[in-house]
Each structure stands twice: as structure tokens, then as C-alpha cells.
Amino acid sequence: DSSSSSSIKSEIHDFDDRYDLFFDNLKPQLYKYNSRLNEGYSMGYIWQETEDALSASNLVRNDVGALYESEAVEGGLGLRKSDFIALNTWQIQKLKARVDELEKKLAALEA
């Protein structure tokens, strides 16, 4: 979906601690597709391992729309990697806030 308007969305929520656990349990991998072994490596996630990260985080498939079942995808299971951008952005924002906090504490100690 290419529209970012809130007018076409409902049940808008912030991430919570379960998504921290989900992020921490994700396992990015390098891999080659069986049908394209002579091509370079792809980067991403393995569907089954991402399901394991969900379980470890007390989340279900509907909590993360990036995991979906599709007849159009080989094996019937797919990942929308673009959906991970928001999760990654949230994690980076949290890290930046923590770095800012630690820098202020360090500056106070050095003063």
C-alpha cells in the first residue's frame, strides 16, 4: 500500500516492548535463491525463523503484517521486507535517544 494518510488507516498504535523482543530475536541472513544460484547473495530473513521471533516475543502473525500467507509465493509463506523499515526506524530512534542521554551524563561527569 502506497498511501501514508491516516484517513485510510485504523487501530493506529505505537510499538511496545514485545516489538523490542521481536527485533532482538530477528536473524538477518545472507542467502541465495535455489533458482538463481549463479547470482549474488540476497539479504533478508527466513520466514520460519521470523515466526520463531514472533513466538519468542509473545506476538502472533496478525501483530506483524510483514508475515503473510500467499498462494502467489512459493511455499505459501512470504515476508514483506519493507514493513521492517518502521521497526528499524523505531529501534534507531530509541538508540539515538539513549546515546543523547549517555552523552549528557558523560558531559556532566567531565564538567
Side-chain angles (χ1 to χ4, degrees):
D1 126 342
S2 61
S3 177
S4 294
S5 173
S6 63
S7 66
I8 64 166
K9 299 174 182 176
S10 62
E11 297 186 39
I12 299 170
H13 304 278
D14 290 333
F15 289 104
D16 60 47
D17 291 341
R18 297 172 304 157
Y19 293 90
D20 263 334
L21 291 171
F22 177 62
F23 182 85
D24 291 344
N25 282 293
L26 287 173
K27 188 176 177 185
Q29 304 250 316
L30 293 170
Y31 53 85
K32 288 188 175 186
Y33 287 99
N34 293 334
S35 61
R36 297 179 267 167
L37 289 175
N38 61 338
E39 294 180 13
Y41 282 91
S42 293
M43 294 178 245
Y45 307 97
I46 306 300
W47 198 93
Q48 295 86 340
E49 292 174 354
T50 306
E51 276 269 67
D52 292 344
L54 275 180
S55 295
S57 311
N58 294 319
L59 292 167
V60 295
R61 196 175 301 156
N62 286 346
D63 292 327
V64 179
L67 288 86
Y68 65 94
E69 293 185 39
S70 171
E71 293 178 13
V73 176
E74 183 179 337
L77 309 172
L79 289 173
R80 279 188 294 273
K81 295 176 194 171
S82 62
D83 281 8
F84 289 92
I85 293 171
L87 180 63
N88 291 340
T89 300
W90 177 62
Q91 289 291 317
I92 292 167
Q93 289 170 336
K94 287 175 48 160
L95 287 172
K96 284 183 66 178
R98 181 72 176 138
V99 167
D100 289 346
E101 178 185 322
L102 292 172
E103 286 177 341
K104 287 176 186 171
K105 286 181 181 180
L106 181 60
L109 289 172
E110 291 175 342

